[in-house]
Amino acid sequence: MKKEKNPKQAYIPTIEEMQCWYEDDLRREALKSLECENNKKIDGQGSFFKAFRRFEERNEKIPLDSKESNAYYKKYKAYVEGERANKGKKIQEIENLIEYERFFLRFERRVNRETNNYSCYGSNSATRYRVDRIEGLEKELETILKSSPEAWEFYYKRQLISDIESQHQQRLVPVPYVVKAKQKVIDSLNSGVPVYIVGHLGSGKTQLATEAAMDFTIQNRIQSELEEKMENWFSDNPNATEEDAIKKFREFNEERKLHYRNILTNGTKEEIESLQPLFISGSHNLTYEDMFVEKTLSLEHSFSKRSYKDYLNMIIVDFYDWMDEHKEKLEQMTDEEQLHLKIQIWKSFSDLLVASNSTFGTTIKKIEREILIAVKEGRPVIVDELNTIAMQNLIALNDILQRHAGSTAYITGVGPVLIKPGFGFIGTGNLSTQMVNYEGTNELNPAFKSRFVTIEYNYVPQKITGSLEDQEFPEKNELFRIIIAHLADKNGNIHIPDSKRTLEELFRFSQLCRVTQNVFMGKWKDNEILKDSGMDEPELRESVLSIRNILHVLDNWNLGEEKDLSKALWDGFISSITYPDDQNYILSQAVRFGFFPTGEGWNIEIKGIGEATTTYDEIRTRPYHYVRPSIETLSCLDVVHLVFGKGPSRRVLTKGLKEIFEIDIDDSLRIDVKKYQKLDQQLSHLEHSKELLEYLEDNGGEK
């Protein structure tokens, strides 16, 4: 009897169709992971909570049948998952080689610095070899990412998860703008050059300084520990090859990085503090002593330091020591004379102890402050708001700022102090403009400022024209990427109402934020929309949608649970603006970007300059009522495509796909690869023809 074919198994899908099925499966897995997380949350809760916990009913649009019974799709899915794992290993191998070369480059440069008395790195043939190797490996990595969809997916999914973890740890999201600025700070500290970070409010200057200083400390510790470990390992294995060394390096390197990650998350207070930079908050009242050595008055002695038993033991020890020293003289006395003398000596010791420990006079005591401690211990120090400190006090830093680790700096009131390796100086300051002036800030003396590498660090990049769908280079929308990372769960999935509309709104929100940032910085001419419009020069004096305020709005919105984004924008930011002209301008821009639509009960009337602030009652035409749309799920891959673009696509059958389509499939279902490729080409041609016919039909048949 002839075996009947299963119609689902016999169906021959295109590559694009199988990829769509695969992405549907990922969305279903995202839903399952959400259910698992919900169930985990009840662990440790009481019986009342467990008994009466309820969930909303969800009408999912994700198809339940993902064609998993199709033989070709099964093979396709297995191939994609296997290829992603293989490419992931290859990427990690290249990254390990890059880290090994960088480790050796730092090793070479340290030896050069020590040989040249810490004066410079010093380029030589050995360092240039490592630099060229790193460049070659980075190109190799770039080639893999451009040629393989699975490699691209692995790499950028990992990047997305890193963004999310950084948000949860309250660190800066590692978008390119942040990474470049942080690396510039670390490179300067490694060169022994102090850094001055300037920028506008809410841009994250202090956070950048703190994270860069911690990364600088951790990198130096790991470098030192790896050098020692590799030397010890090679001493025990003198016949090992460099390939063996690279494998061992990976093991040691991963163990050390994990060690310091664990300290930052679960370490003791002392362990965490040892990695953190020392910190000074600058102000006009900050003196020289506040930075180096503080003189204080202290009580000289007091019985409160020890117990009475301790003091009694001290007297007994001293008394017996005295008797031993005068043993011969005591033996020459009568018993009565000995007793009388011993009583007098005991009383004298008691009186002396009381006198020396109960004088509550004050003495001047010197306490070392942050900069001196940092110099002596080899730690980074941050002086926040450096440009608020009086210039006559900052001049005391001159000698330290122009010296390198390993040399001696003169500190007034202390004398010469050796600068220990690991010391680094970072200052931060607000950047004033003609429109925005931060009270209490000063312009630094040019001679003093010349000792620093000055880094202007402001708001992350974001395109302010076009819609979400027509972005040619989505990876350049770094502010939108930060917003998405804040909304995603720990697995990289997003669950939001009416995903298409909501994502478009979030993108417009990121554009609105960037416009306010441009205007606040006085860079409104960078705004392609306002540049040649003939409008009066806009300005914001006090308010801006900085990262801090953006997160307030997103938390207020809470994934659209109780309100839409317009209401959250009002509640989380605009309603709290107290300067009327700032509020009026930001409201007008919000309307321009599609927020507060009149059809949903909003009525924004633009006020003139100098008018009063706007209240909620003024802009609502009816009571606010929100109907939440159905919640939709985006998988981690959807989010990766949203943030980083589509990546390389698979237009033809790879060698691996050809092989799996030719084996392990029932003879009745097997198809010749050339025939499959021809069929796939014909289907693609038909799809393009269909699109062309629809276009002509929509345009009345006109060409």
Side-chain angles (χ1 to χ4, degrees):
M1 183 176 176
K2 189 176 180 181
K3 187 177 180 181
E4 292 185 9
K5 293 183 182 180
N6 185 322
K8 289 183 179 179
Q9 289 182 338
Y11 177 69
I12 305 172
T14 63
I15 297 174
E16 289 82 358
E17 195 171 5
M18 287 189 288
Q19 180 63 25
C20 287
W21 293 350
Y22 172 67
E23 292 175 10
D24 282 343
D25 277 351
L26 292 180
R27 295 181 193 111
R28 292 174 63 204
E29 289 169 10
L31 276 174
K32 289 178 182 177
S33 70
L34 177 64
E35 292 174 5
C36 290
E37 287 300 317
N38 284 333
N39 291 331
K40 283 181 185 177
K41 290 175 184 176
I42 68 172
D43 293 343
Q45 300 301 320
S47 57
F48 169 77
F49 180 83
K50 293 178 181 178
F52 298 106
R53 196 174 189 220
R54 300 289 183 268
F55 297 96
E56 67 169 333
E57 292 184 6
R58 294 183 60 173
N59 182 22
E60 297 300 338
K61 295 181 180 179
I62 298 172
L64 296 176
D65 181 12
S66 62
K67 311 295 183 185
E68 287 206 14
S69 57
N70 184 278
Y72 294 99
Y73 173 63
K74 283 182 179 180
K75 294 297 177 184
Y76 177 83
K77 184 178 180 181
Y79 167 79
V80 169
E81 292 174 348
E83 187 72 0
R84 185 172 63 241
N86 292 334
K87 293 298 183 184
K89 289 179 183 177
K90 181 62 177 175
I91 288 171
Q92 290 171 328
E93 286 174 6
I94 296 174
E95 289 173 335
N96 179 59
L97 286 171
I98 291 173
E99 290 202 41
Y100 174 77
E101 298 297 341
R102 284 178 176 159
F103 157 75
F104 228 112
L105 178 62
R106 287 191 291 265
F107 206 155
E108 291 278 5
R109 286 175 170 171
R110 179 182 65 78
V111 172
N112 284 351
R113 283 199 307 273
E114 292 175 356
T115 304
N116 295 316
N117 197 24
Y118 293 93
S119 61
C120 63
Y121 279 150
S123 173
N124 59 34
S125 180
T127 59
R128 290 191 290 273
Y129 170 81
R130 300 295 172 183
V131 168
D132 292 343
R133 278 283 295 154
I134 292 168
E135 184 180 354
L137 288 166
E138 287 176 341
K139 286 181 179 178
E140 184 180 343
L141 178 59
E142 186 179 347
T143 300
I144 291 175
L145 296 180
K146 286 182 177 179
S147 61
S148 169
E150 288 74 31
W152 188 92
E153 180 185 337
F154 172 86
Y155 184 85
Y156 285 104
K157 179 179 178 180
R158 192 181 55 174
Q159 181 63 65
L160 175 63
I161 298 301
S162 174
D163 290 355
I164 296 165
E165 288 176 351
S166 297
Q167 285 257 4
H168 291 169
Q169 295 165 4
Q170 297 184 326
R171 289 173 62 90
L172 296 171
V173 175
V175 296
Y177 181 79
V178 172
V179 171
K180 289 176 184 176
K182 192 183 292 186
Q183 192 57 52
K184 192 172 182 181
V185 174
I186 293 171
D187 289 343
S188 297
L189 295 180
N190 279 323
S191 302
V193 181
V195 181
Y196 183 42
I197 305 172
V198 295
H200 289 281
L201 69 86
S203 60
K205 303 179 297 295
T206 305
Q207 183 73 8
L208 177 75
T210 303
E211 291 185 20
M214 288 181 67
D215 290 351
F216 167 73
T217 298
I218 291 171
Q219 283 179 16
N220 283 343
R221 287 198 185 182
I222 290 177
Q223 177 73 19
S224 176
E225 291 162 2
L226 286 176
E227 288 176 14
E228 183 179 356
K229 282 177 175 290
M230 293 302 293
E231 289 289 0
N232 292 338
W233 170 80
F234 193 69
S235 296
D236 296 335
N237 301 273
N239 297 321
T241 63
E242 188 168 25
E243 186 178 347
D244 297 328
I246 290 170
K247 288 180 181 178
K248 203 65 186 177
F249 168 81
R250 180 173 184 171
E251 179 187 323
F252 287 149
N253 190 31
E254 289 178 354
E255 184 273 325
R256 286 291 85 195
K257 288 194 289 186
L258 179 61
H259 170 73
Y260 286 105
R261 277 200 299 269
N262 288 337
I263 287 179
L264 293 176
T265 53
N266 304 309
T268 64
K269 182 180 178 182
E270 292 75 19
E271 287 175 327
I272 294 172
E273 285 180 352
S274 70
L275 300 178
Q276 291 176 331
L278 296 164
F279 193 89
I280 296 175
S281 293
S283 72
H284 185 71
N285 299 321
L286 194 77
T287 64
Y288 169 85
E289 288 80 10
D290 294 327
M291 294 187 287
F292 291 99
V293 179
E294 181 183 7
K295 295 177 181 178
T296 62
L297 297 175
S298 65
L299 295 176
E300 178 71 315
H301 292 289
S302 171
F303 272 119
S304 62
K305 292 183 178 179
R306 297 186 181 183
S307 69
Y308 294 124
K309 181 181 177 182
D310 291 334
Y311 290 111
L312 183 59
N313 289 333
M314 287 171 59
I315 297 175
I316 292 171
V317 170
D318 289 340
F319 179 72
Y320 279 110
D321 286 345
W322 182 88
M323 289 209 324
D324 287 340
E325 290 173 6
H326 299 84
K327 184 177 181 181
E328 292 181 4
K329 290 184 179 181
L330 288 171
E331 288 175 348
Q332 296 173 5
M333 297 180 183
T334 64
D335 290 344
E336 186 176 347
E337 287 174 337
Q338 283 188 36
L339 179 61
H340 180 72
L341 182 60
K342 289 177 181 178
I343 291 171
Q344 290 300 318
I345 295 299
W346 179 267
K347 188 175 182 302
S348 297
F349 275 128
S350 300
D351 291 343
L352 287 170
L353 182 68
V354 171
S356 62
N357 286 280
S358 60
T359 54
F360 289 92
T362 56
T363 60
I364 297 175
K365 187 176 181 181
K366 292 183 177 181
I367 300 175
E368 294 183 352
R369 296 306 301 264
E370 285 79 4
I371 294 180
L372 182 56
I373 294 171
V375 169
K376 285 185 170 183
E377 295 183 2
R379 295 173 61 184
V381 61
I382 297 171
V383 181
D384 201 29
E385 310 295 355
L386 181 72
N387 56 347
T388 62
I389 302 173
M391 198 64 229
Q392 64 267 26
N393 293 324
L394 288 177
I395 290 173
L397 296 169
N398 279 355
D399 199 43
I400 290 175
L401 297 180
Q402 63 190 17
R403 302 287 180 182
H404 293 273
S407 61
T408 301
Y410 183 82
I411 298 175
T412 305
V414 178
V417 178
L418 179 68
I419 301 177
K420 192 173 178 182
F423 170 74
F425 187 98
I426 305 175
T428 71
N430 283 317
L431 190 63
S432 297
T433 65
Q434 291 181 345
M435 290 182 290
V436 181
N437 184 42
Y438 298 97
E439 187 176 348
T441 59
N442 313 300
E443 190 63 36
L444 294 180
N445 181 310
F448 177 77
K449 192 175 178 181
S450 68
R451 291 172 167 82
F452 293 85
V453 166
T454 300
I455 299 173
E456 183 173 341
Y457 180 77
N458 281 306
Y459 310 107
V460 300
Q462 173 66 41
K463 295 290 288 183
I464 56 176
T465 56
S467 65
L468 175 60
E469 291 186 355
D470 63 13
Q471 294 298 306
E472 187 177 357
F473 302 105
E475 67 277 6
K476 292 186 177 181
N477 294 309
E478 297 180 24
L479 181 55
F480 181 64
R481 172 175 160 183
I482 291 173
I483 289 172
I484 291 300
H486 187 72
L487 300 177
D489 64 25
K490 68 177 185 179
N491 298 313
N493 308 313
I494 290 182
H495 314 275
I496 50 175
D498 193 354
S499 60
K500 186 174 181 180
R501 174 183 170 175
T502 300
L503 290 172
E504 186 62 48
E505 281 186 336
L506 289 168
F507 186 74
R508 285 188 275 109
F509 174 60
S510 67
Q511 293 176 313
L512 167 65
C513 295
R514 183 63 200 188
V515 167
T516 69
Q517 293 165 3
N518 284 346
V519 173
F520 187 80
M521 292 187 292
K523 296 182 178 180
W524 66 276
K525 288 185 179 179
D526 295 344
N527 185 335
E528 295 93 329
I529 299 173
L530 299 178
K531 188 174 180 181
D532 300 315
S533 63
M535 293 176 61
D536 293 335
E537 183 172 342
E539 65 175 48
L540 289 170
R541 293 181 179 272
E542 300 176 0
S543 307
V544 60
L545 275 160
S546 62
I547 291 292
R548 189 182 303 120
N549 288 325
I550 289 169
L551 298 184
H552 286 165
V553 172
L554 294 177
D555 290 340
N556 194 284
W557 177 59
N558 193 23
L559 297 170
E561 185 171 82
E562 295 180 298
K563 61 183 74 172
D564 64 9
L565 202 53
S566 291
K567 184 70 161 52
L569 180 56
W570 172 264
D571 292 343
F573 177 64
I574 296 178
S575 64
S576 62
I577 299 175
T578 56
Y579 187 67
D581 292 345
D582 281 5
Q583 187 194 49
N584 185 44
Y585 178 76
I586 291 175
L587 264 175
S588 69
Q589 293 303 302
V591 171
R592 188 169 68 81
F593 278 100
F595 296 100
F596 306 108
T598 55
E600 295 180 10
W602 300 99
N603 181 29
I604 308 294
E605 294 184 1
I606 307 304
K607 294 183 177 181
I609 295 174
E611 293 191 37
T613 55
T614 299
T615 64
Y616 179 73
D617 291 337
E618 288 180 68
I619 60 175
R620 281 302 295 178
T621 59
R622 59 178 184 264
Y624 183 79
H625 178 66
Y626 175 63
V627 178
R628 182 175 62 252
S630 297
I631 300 296
E632 296 174 3
T633 295
L634 277 72
S635 71
C636 184
L637 183 58
D638 292 327
V639 179
V640 167
H641 288 160
L642 186 69
V643 173
F644 299 104
K646 290 293 184 182
S649 58
R650 185 182 294 104
R651 294 296 181 187
V652 296
L653 286 176
T654 63
K655 182 180 179 182
L657 272 175
K658 289 178 184 178
E659 290 174 354
I660 67 166
F661 279 0
E662 289 177 342
I663 61 173
D664 293 336
I665 292 182
D666 191 314
D667 288 338
S668 61
L669 302 174
R670 190 170 297 168
I671 183 172
D672 181 76
V673 170
K674 290 183 179 179
K675 188 186 292 186
Y676 180 89
Q677 287 177 314
K678 186 177 179 182
L679 176 63
D680 191 52
Q681 243 178 4
Q682 290 172 343
L683 286 170
S684 297
H685 179 72
L686 286 172
E687 286 172 3
H688 292 308
S689 300
K690 180 174 175 284
E691 290 173 4
L692 179 61
L693 288 170
E694 288 174 349
Y695 172 79
L696 291 172
E697 186 178 336
D698 291 340
N699 289 274
E702 297 178 4
K703 293 184 179 179

